[in-house]
Amino acid sequence: MRIPPVAMALLAVAARGTLYRANSGVFVAAFSTASRAAFSSRTTDGSSSASPTIGRRRRTPHSSDSLLTKVKQLQKQGKWSEETMMFSAVEETATEATTTSDDVIAFPQAGKRIEDCAPRMRFAPSPTGSLHVGGARTALYNWFVAKKGRLDFPDDDGAFVLRVEDTDLARSTKESEESVLADLTWLGLNWDEGPDMPLAKYGPYRQSERNEIYSKLAEKLIDEDKAYPCFCTKEELEEMKARQEAEGVPTRYDGTWRDADPDLVAQKMAEGAGYTIRFKVPANARIVIEDAVRGTVSWDAEATVGDFILLRSSGIPVYNFCVAVDDASMGITTVIRAEEHLTNTLRQCLILDALGAPRPRYAHCSLILGEDKQKLSKRHGATSCNQFKLDGFLPDAMINYLALLGWNDGTNNEIFSRDELIEAFDVKRVVRSPSIFDMDKLKWINQQHMKTKSIEEISDLVKEQMNLIGLFKEGVSDVQVRNVAYAATAVAKEMMQTTKDAATNAQTVMGYELPESFDKVEDAEAKEMIQQGNFYPIAQALIRDFEAGNLPQPDPADPLAPFLEDINKPIVEDDKVGGTAYSYPKAYKVHMKALSKELGVKGKNLFHPIRLALTAEMSGQDVTKQMALLQMAVADDGCIDKEAAGVVDMASRIERLKSFCETIPEEFRTLKVKEENKKAEKEESKQANAATEAATAAAPVDPLENYEGPPITALDIRVGRITKVWEHEEADKLYCEEIDVGEDEPRQVASGLRPYMNKEDIEGRLVLVLCNLKARKMVGFPSHGMVLCTSNEDHSEVKFVSPPVDAKVGERITIPDIDFEGEEGQPFAENKIGKKKVFEKLAPHLVTNGYGSPEFMGRPFLTSAGVCTSPIAGGNVS
């Protein structure tokens, strides 16, 4: 058992009184605090009994014994009264505790081979601020080793120990300690022993509560002539330093009191002069360690540090003494920490050696730098764990990213689960070079982790973020709050990198930042689109339809419908629409198709102006989902604080749109798209005719006449540009690519090109992408589309189909003599392509000719810039 501190104090008081009576009025100064009383005893009249004959403390007849030892002696002498029998509880406690109340402090790993012991790892923060990135990484690496050790040594004493190093009394605060513990808990770095477990085997775990241990071991060093009192004043030390600097020698303590006359020491103590306790560095001492990260490190101890302080004049032990004692008495096997602590290792090893305690193994990790190659600090942005939590990062993503700041598993893997990291981590793979903190990389890793979670799993975190920025009213229905958070998550799921992104995106969706007038439009893309002349007539049509009540609106009775499929299954992909009986998304699509036919515009020339008119944004998520979220926000009995969120309802949007349109100059109010389309069609037809003539000159029979398969127009093949490429972490044949195909956001596509192409040759390439394949997971990676390539007969050679360099990203590939413009020329829906195996039926007819040009029925693949090509002649396109 262990006695609470208050009870221990009362027992100590009782014991003191008994010992006072038993020793004829002389107090025995137990070394329970690091005070000057540890080195001298005083009688009740205040006179000093310090020895006049030695230069280090001579013990009084009883001071070498602990209180419990003294009690035993008194019991044998019959001088122990029944009133103090409660000390038996203290004896039981001392027997059970590792840090006993007698003079011997146990070192659990003494006499053992450290490498054969179950890992006992420690994280020892100072409670003087928040837990920052560097400290979190240190905690993480120690936690990995401890967790893996618990698996390898399930029945042994392995543990992840949390120790609070609060000897800096001026700066340490309870609030900081609680903050650090809360951050570790958020990261999921749960400890096996720590300050919240004061009765654990090796406790207490705050240095401020371990003074008795430090004092006893300091006394031991003094008794063994390994430490001594130093009476140098601050002024004398400064003078010593100045003299050494003037002489050009290293500044260190010169040993003034190391071998002082014992009579002089006794005189100083009798005078009550202030003193520190210094460690006596052995002559010619050399310390060598095998650092797991830095290899062999050695120091000439005497030349490097000189005799250093163990106890300050106030009696408070210094950092390095506490750390060495704690590591030894808590049985720590390996110390993983930042390289800035490497210089402390010398002092700590000297202390451990002097105490006869085993040294732990050491691993000193390099610093984490900002992108400017300077030490990471607040000026680089968020660095504290709590700020990352507030910014919407997931704990698992933080763990994943922190692990990679100085370590890798020897592969190109970048996404790891917690269990995978525990299994893979090896301190031998921690690198020496500094790590650069890359916020973009952290966001990307966070995004990958979020993509593995369902909307339901993320929406609670999004709800917290929405609450943090003040979007919700007080005292509203939790059901309403959950529904809005769900909708906000569903809207942003495919684009958000943090949960905060979903909250801020929801606020953007609810607002409407259309400029007051045309001349105040700052977005160059928006201004150029308006100047093309198609925005004004489309906006006027939307205003007309809304005021006539013909513009489809979300169903107020079922606001979540656009986010669910017919079977009430959540929609994940942004290009899918929901709805049941009255389907707002379907009604919206029908209306826009009619508008396209009425105005003679389509594609981005239709949808970009509609998006700008309804949302005041040039890009974003599916418009129907945005309008559905807006509908939930404007409800009078809803949960959104409209004023705080800046909500602008549809009626107000239309009024602003009308005012804006009035400021558009006359020359930008006429559709120019039709004229451009006609010119493009004429030029395209001319090119098509020429290509057809060339392709069919030698063919007496047109193969298209006998073709009975699905129409080639069923395929939505577009020009795309690969903007990013990386290796799939689980499939050794797959690349993962981000491809711009002219949509608001790049597509993510997985392709089996790793055996055929280098990653460096892929990024930035223009390619052809089959865009109306249904999104699916490829070894866990969400792939939406397929990059078209050509291959030879045995598939030993694979190359891209290449559009002309001047082809426009996002334009659809056409085939001569086939109408891609009319209703019959529109591509099939994704479900239809898959269910009817359309591509599988067309694939045998997609080939390259003798010149490497890809063809369908003898007709080339065309873009506005000309014919597509390939380096493989007589191959297949797939």
Side-chain angles (χ1 to χ4, degrees):
M1 63 174 282
R2 285 185 71 84
I3 308 299
V6 173
M8 286 289 287
L10 294 175
L11 291 173
V13 171
R16 250 177 110 79
T18 302
L19 293 176
Y20 171 79
R21 291 191 295 273
N23 284 278
S24 303
V26 178
F27 275 118
V28 178
F31 204 88
S32 58
T33 59
S35 64
R36 194 172 294 107
F39 306 101
S40 64
S41 299
R42 292 187 182 274
T43 61
T44 52
D45 64 4
S47 61
S48 172
S49 61
S51 169
T53 59
I54 61 173
R56 58 187 179 89
R57 185 175 85 86
R58 173 179 290 175
R59 303 183 183 191
T60 59
H62 301 294
S63 65
S64 63
D65 300 323
S66 69
L67 293 179
L68 289 175
T69 304
K70 186 63 185 174
V71 167
K72 290 178 182 178
Q73 292 176 351
L74 293 175
Q75 284 177 322
K76 289 180 180 180
Q77 298 170 11
K79 299 179 181 179
W80 183 249
S81 63
E82 291 298 322
E83 67 186 275
T84 57
M85 284 300 290
M86 58 183 171
F87 245 114
S88 61
V90 180
E91 182 174 14
E92 180 183 348
T93 300
T95 301
E96 293 180 359
T98 302
T99 54
T100 62
S101 295
D102 58 26
D103 278 346
V104 179
I105 306 299
F107 302 137
Q109 310 302 353
K112 302 177 183 178
R113 280 166 43 93
I114 291 294
E115 53 267 30
D116 295 334
C117 300
R120 285 185 57 78
M121 312 298 293
R122 53 86 159 173
F123 177 55
S126 298
T128 56
S130 302
L131 179 64
H132 289 260
V133 168
R137 183 189 65 173
T138 297
L140 179 64
Y141 285 1
N142 282 282
W143 185 81
F144 282 155
V145 176
K147 283 296 178 184
K148 193 170 185 178
R150 293 295 289 268
L151 297 174
D152 296 339
F153 301 86
D155 301 322
D156 285 359
D157 201 24
F160 175 56
V161 178
L162 178 60
R163 185 173 78 217
V164 178
E165 297 185 341
D166 58 350
T167 53
D168 187 345
L169 301 179
R171 298 175 60 219
S172 298
T173 66
K174 187 67 176 175
E175 293 75 17
S176 290
E177 179 184 318
E178 291 172 351
S179 172
V180 171
L181 267 61
D183 289 339
L184 290 172
T185 301
W186 174 68
L187 287 170
L189 304 185
N190 299 319
W191 49 94
D192 303 301
E193 303 170 25
D196 54 343
M197 308 170 193
L199 303 184
K201 187 174 183 180
Y202 299 104
Y205 295 93
R206 291 185 185 90
Q207 287 183 341
S208 60
E209 298 171 2
R210 297 173 63 82
N211 278 346
E212 182 175 3
I213 299 170
Y214 307 139
S215 300
K216 286 181 178 177
L217 290 178
E219 183 180 20
K220 169 182 166 65
L221 292 176
I222 292 170
D223 288 345
E224 294 175 357
D225 198 28
K226 296 175 181 177
Y228 59 92
C230 168
F231 296 90
C232 286
T233 64
K234 181 179 179 181
E235 291 73 21
E236 289 172 335
L237 292 173
E238 290 177 350
E239 182 181 342
M240 183 188 306
K241 180 180 179 181
R243 183 175 65 253
Q244 290 171 344
E245 288 176 344
E247 295 172 356
V249 298
T251 57
R252 59 189 180 88
Y253 180 66
D254 65 2
T256 299
W257 288 90
R258 178 182 176 112
D259 299 306
D261 187 310
D263 291 339
L264 180 59
V265 173
Q267 178 184 337
K268 284 286 188 179
M269 285 193 169
E271 293 171 354
Y275 59 87
T276 60
I277 300 300
R278 285 187 180 270
F279 181 82
K280 185 177 286 187
V281 176
N284 303 317
R286 188 169 188 81
I287 296 295
V288 181
I289 64 168
E290 289 298 326
D291 192 285
V293 176
R294 306 191 170 275
T296 303
V297 183
S298 63
W299 297 269
D300 180 339
E302 191 175 15
T304 304
V305 293
D307 293 351
F308 53 89
I309 294 174
L310 297 180
L311 301 178
R312 299 181 180 90
S313 59
S314 62
I316 297 174
V318 299
Y319 169 81
N320 281 306
F321 184 51
C322 295
V323 170
V325 168
D326 290 345
D327 285 344
S329 60
M330 292 181 179
I332 302 304
T333 58
T334 303
V335 173
I336 302 176
R337 58 189 178 186
E339 67 174 337
E340 56 197 8
H341 289 285
L342 186 60
T343 55
N344 293 325
T345 308
L346 167 59
R347 293 175 174 82
Q348 292 165 20
C349 286
L350 286 168
I351 293 167
L352 290 169
D353 293 351
L355 291 172
R359 296 183 195 171
R361 289 173 293 184
Y362 293 96
H364 289 88
C365 305
S366 295
L367 295 176
I368 300 174
L369 307 179
E371 293 185 15
D372 59 357
K373 307 298 177 64
Q374 301 299 310
K375 185 177 178 181
L376 193 67
S377 64
K378 290 181 180 179
R379 62 191 172 83
H380 293 101
T383 59
S384 71
C385 288
N386 186 57
Q387 189 59 54
F388 287 113
K389 176 184 177 182
L390 295 176
D391 286 344
F393 289 90
L394 303 182
D396 281 352
M398 286 298 301
I399 291 294
N400 188 162
Y401 182 67
L402 290 173
L404 299 177
L405 283 176
W407 170 88
N408 67 79
D409 69 342
T411 73
N412 291 325
N413 291 353
E414 293 185 303
I415 305 300
F416 295 87
S417 68
R418 197 174 290 249
D419 289 341
E420 288 170 340
L421 286 167
I422 293 172
E423 178 63 29
F425 185 81
D426 186 341
V427 72
K428 293 177 181 178
R429 291 204 60 84
V430 175
V431 300
R432 295 186 186 185
S433 56
S435 302
I436 306 298
F437 190 88
D438 184 343
M439 182 63 76
D440 290 337
K441 181 70 171 290
L442 171 59
K443 288 180 178 179
W444 179 80
I445 287 177
N446 197 64
Q447 186 176 37
Q448 306 316 304
H449 278 271
M450 287 199 299
K451 286 181 178 180
T452 66
K453 298 183 179 298
S454 67
I455 293 175
E456 291 89 342
E457 289 177 299
I458 297 178
S459 61
D460 279 345
L461 299 174
V462 172
K463 179 178 71 173
E464 292 177 10
Q465 292 292 334
M466 294 178 74
N467 197 49
L468 280 174
I469 62 177
L471 297 186
F472 294 124
K473 298 176 185 174
E474 295 286 342
V476 292
S477 163
D478 190 52
V479 173
Q480 287 182 313
V481 170
R482 285 203 307 271
N483 285 345
V484 171
Y486 180 94
T489 306
V491 166
K493 180 71 164 62
E494 290 302 298
M495 54 72 66
M496 65 179 180
Q497 292 186 303
T498 68
T499 55
K500 187 175 182 178
D501 287 344
T504 55
N505 180 72
Q507 191 167 18
T508 299
V509 169
M510 295 173 192
Y512 188 71
E513 297 297 328
L514 188 70
E516 295 179 0
S517 61
F518 172 77
D519 58 0
K520 292 185 178 180
V521 175
E522 296 180 356
D523 187 308
E525 185 181 4
K527 197 152 195 170
E528 182 181 358
M529 182 197 68
I530 295 170
Q531 289 172 338
Q532 288 176 353
N534 53 341
F535 175 81
Y536 182 86
I538 291 172
Q540 293 302 309
L542 291 173
I543 294 169
R544 176 200 68 199
D545 292 345
F546 178 81
E547 293 181 339
N550 295 329
L551 186 65
Q553 297 294 305
D555 183 0
D558 192 12
L560 282 179
F563 305 101
L564 303 170
E565 295 184 30
D566 290 345
I567 56 174
N568 285 333
K569 179 182 176 182
I571 291 177
V572 176
E573 293 84 0
D574 190 49
D575 61 340
K576 297 184 70 175
V577 297
T580 52
Y582 164 74
S583 173
Y584 163 60
K586 293 175 183 176
Y588 175 89
K589 186 174 182 179
V590 169
H591 190 86
M592 295 308 155
K593 191 172 183 179
L595 195 62
S596 172
K597 191 172 183 179
E598 173 191 341
L599 298 176
V601 290
K602 57 186 177 181
K604 66 179 183 180
N605 292 319
L606 174 70
F607 297 119
H608 283 187
I610 289 174
R611 180 183 293 278
L612 181 62
L614 296 181
T615 70
E617 301 288 335
M618 280 294 290
S619 62
Q621 306 82 40
D622 178 74
V623 172
T624 62
K625 292 173 184 175
Q626 293 191 56
M627 295 298 101
L629 178 57
L630 176 64
Q631 178 67 51
M632 299 171 76
V634 300
D636 291 334
D637 58 350
C639 61
I640 293 295
D641 185 331
K642 297 179 187 178
E643 184 176 351
V647 175
V648 180
D649 61 24
M650 273 302 297
S652 300
R653 292 179 185 221
I654 294 298
E655 289 303 315
R656 289 192 192 180
L657 181 60
K658 289 166 68 175
S659 298
F660 177 80
C661 286
E662 291 174 0
T663 69
I664 297 176
E666 287 292 337
E667 64 266 30
F668 303 140
R669 296 187 180 191
T670 305
L671 281 172
K672 298 178 181 178
V673 172
K674 283 185 177 181
E675 297 176 7
E676 292 176 2
N677 283 346
K678 288 179 180 178
K679 290 180 182 178
E681 288 172 5
K682 187 176 180 180
E683 180 62 27
E684 184 177 302
S685 177
K686 183 178 179 181
Q687 292 178 353
N689 290 335
T692 302
E693 290 174 6
T696 61
V701 179
D702 187 348
L704 192 59
E705 294 179 4
N706 299 321
Y707 175 69
E708 296 181 353
I712 186 64
T713 56
L715 303 182
D716 183 13
I717 302 174
R718 299 184 219 161
V719 175
R721 186 181 295 280
I722 299 176
T723 57
K724 184 176 182 180
V725 58
W726 64 98
E727 295 167 342
H728 196 294
E729 60 265 24
E730 296 178 14
D732 57 7
K733 293 184 179 181
L734 292 183
Y735 279 130
C736 302
E737 299 131 9
E738 283 189 359
I739 307 178
D740 181 4
V741 291
E743 297 173 335
D744 293 336
E745 298 292 333
R747 293 278 188 107
Q748 289 196 330
V749 177
S751 61
L753 298 176
R754 277 174 72 177
Y756 306 102
M757 302 182 190
N758 295 322
K759 184 169 62 174
E760 295 75 17
D761 298 331
I762 296 176
E763 194 163 306
R765 286 288 301 265
L766 278 179
V767 292
L768 296 189
V769 183
L770 180 57
C771 291
N772 56 337
L773 290 180
K774 189 175 182 180
R776 62 194 180 99
K777 293 286 183 71
M778 294 185 68
V779 198
F781 179 79
S783 180
H784 193 189
M786 180 173 72
V787 178
L788 295 185
C789 294
T790 58
S791 61
N792 56 5
E793 187 173 355
D794 62 1
H795 212 70
S796 61
E797 187 178 10
V798 176
K799 300 293 183 182
F800 285 124
V801 175
S802 300
V805 293
D806 295 329
K808 297 177 182 177
V809 169
E811 69 171 300
R812 190 180 177 199
I813 297 304
T814 61
I815 304 292
D817 297 333
I818 297 176
D819 182 11
F820 280 75
E821 295 300 324
E823 189 170 340
E824 296 297 323
Q826 297 306 304
F828 285 5
E830 291 181 355
N831 285 344
K832 190 174 180 180
I833 286 283
K835 290 178 180 177
K836 297 195 174 185
K837 299 186 181 299
V838 173
F839 184 75
E840 289 85 342
K841 295 175 181 177
L842 281 165
H845 307 287
L846 304 178
V847 297
T848 58
N849 62 21
Y851 301 99
S853 179
E855 296 180 338
F856 171 73
M857 292 295 160
R859 292 161 170 80
F861 287 19
L862 282 178
T863 71
S864 60
V867 179
C868 298
T869 60
S870 161
I872 297 178
N876 298 308
V877 178
S878 61

